[in-house]
């Protein structure tokens, strides 16, 4: 059974720092991995999707990597801003259903 | 085009009542998914439709939960005899297809259900 873990559960850093969020999964047989952002009480915003054959994807200040063999993905945020404060969730697509981590709550201090 | 829409955005009901939550997917998306998210947790899969049929309903917690998609577009999640533990954010997503590497699920804003 696929399980997804995100570490750390919460992270607080000063504005301007680069940071890395981690996601690990137990079964490497995945179709893709998605990173999402969720603001308090709101729905999900898709940030990046990495296909199983890809190693990384970039969008602006965000870079996500995928190492299927080791069951790991990282989300790198460059030059963090207070507006980046949110919960970040990773989800793996294991044959049409997404299996989710519990998220990392990120606070960027001005 | 329009994204996934869900109605209502908020629903407050009393224990024991019946509720319906609606999801309108992106036009042309054949796959539709329901997830449930409790406070402080990641979403959990409930049910997945390919067209009109429920391809996998293994995530439905019990027989009080039921979902339909009669014409292969709009879906309704139905909860009978609601319990306080049903309180959560209910998320709907749609995608062009399923089970492929480039399948991206697009999410609606969710329905916040509160059972008093």
């Amino acid at each position: 059974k696929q399980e997804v873990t995100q570490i750390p559960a919460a992270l607080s850093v000063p504005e301007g720092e680069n940071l890395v969020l981690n996601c690990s999964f137990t079964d490497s047989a995945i179709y893709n991995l998605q990173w999402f952002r969720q603001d308090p009480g709101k729905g999900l915003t898709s940030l990046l999707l990495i296909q199983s054959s890809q190693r990384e994807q970039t969008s602006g200040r965000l870079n996500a990597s995928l190492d299927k063999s080791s069951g790991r993905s990282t989300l790198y945020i460059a030059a963090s801003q207070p507006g980046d404060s949110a919960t970040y969730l990773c989800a793996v697509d294991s044959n049409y259903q997404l299996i989710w981590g519990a998220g990392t709550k990120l606070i960027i201090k001005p | 085009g329009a994204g996934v829409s869900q109605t209502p955005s908020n629903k407050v009901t009393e224990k024991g009542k019946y509720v319906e939550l609606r999801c309108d997917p992106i036009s042309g998306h054949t796959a539709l998914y329901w997830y449930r998210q409790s406070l402080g947790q990641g979403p959990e899969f409930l049910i997945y439709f390919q067209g009109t049929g429920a391809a996998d309903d293994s995530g439905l917690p019990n027989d009080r939960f039921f979902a339909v998609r009669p014409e292969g577009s709009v879906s309704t999640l139905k909860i009978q005899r609601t319990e306080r533990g049903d309180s959560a954010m209910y998320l709907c997503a749609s995608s062009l297809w399923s089970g492929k590497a480039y399948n991206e699920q697009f999410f609606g804003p969710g329905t916040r259900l509160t059972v008093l």
Side-chain angles (χ1 to χ4, degrees):
Chain A
K1 179 186 172 186
Q2 179 74 269
E3 293 182 359
V4 180
T5 304
Q6 290 187 248
I7 295 173
L11 181 63
S12 180
V13 300
E15 179 180 4
E17 284 199 5
N18 304 324
L19 58 99
V20 175
L21 307 180
N22 297 291
C23 173
S24 61
F25 48 96
T26 55
D27 187 346
S28 62
I30 65 172
Y31 284 108
N32 60 55
L33 183 146
Q34 288 185 250
W35 282 93
F36 294 85
R37 169 187 172 135
Q38 188 171 38
D39 293 286
K42 303 294 186 183
L44 298 162
T45 301
S46 180
L47 298 173
L48 291 163
L49 179 147
I50 311 176
Q51 297 175 26
S52 59
S53 59
Q54 296 177 321
R55 297 284 291 183
E56 65 178 328
Q57 280 284 347
T58 298
S59 176
R61 295 182 293 108
L62 305 180
N63 176 279
S65 68
L66 174 64
D67 184 343
K68 248 181 45 168
S69 60
S70 68
R72 295 184 181 187
S73 176
T74 61
L75 179 67
Y76 174 83
I77 303 177
S80 58
Q81 304 170 357
D84 295 332
S85 298
T87 296
Y88 291 80
L89 295 141
C90 73
V92 298
D93 187 336
S94 291
N95 197 24
Y96 56 75
Q97 64 170 275
L98 293 179
I99 308 297
W100 301 76
T104 294
K105 184 175 182 179
L106 177 63
I107 297 174
I108 307 298
K109 296 176 288 186
Chain B
V4 178
S5 62
Q6 291 185 246
T7 55
S9 55
N10 280 285
K11 176 70 177 178
V12 180
T13 191
E14 294 180 344
K15 180 175 178 294
K17 299 290 188 182
Y18 168 82
V19 297
E20 290 190 351
L21 311 180
R22 176 188 166 110
C23 173
D24 203 337
I26 293 172
S27 178
H29 281 192
T30 59
L32 186 146
Y33 316 78
W34 283 99
Y35 296 87
R36 178 170 74 170
Q37 185 179 25
S38 299
L39 201 61
Q41 299 181 20
E44 294 178 314
F45 170 79
L46 294 177
I47 186 170
Y48 148 66
F49 288 89
Q50 182 60 45
T52 60
D56 182 355
D57 64 358
S58 63
L60 295 177
N62 51 59
D63 61 6
R64 295 186 297 105
F65 288 74
F66 189 71
V68 296
R69 195 186 185 199
E71 298 178 357
S73 178
V74 171
S75 175
T76 305
L77 178 65
K78 308 180 180 191
I79 310 174
Q80 299 177 323
R81 304 183 303 280
T82 51
E83 299 177 358
R84 292 193 179 88
D86 298 336
S87 297
M89 175 76 89
Y90 288 81
L91 297 162
C92 175
S94 70
S95 67
L96 277 171
W97 40 62
S98 63
K100 295 184 185 296
Y102 39 88
N103 174 47
E104 183 172 3
Q105 296 186 23
F106 296 84
F107 282 80
T111 293
R112 170 75 63 187
L113 175 66
T114 302
V115 182
L116 301 176

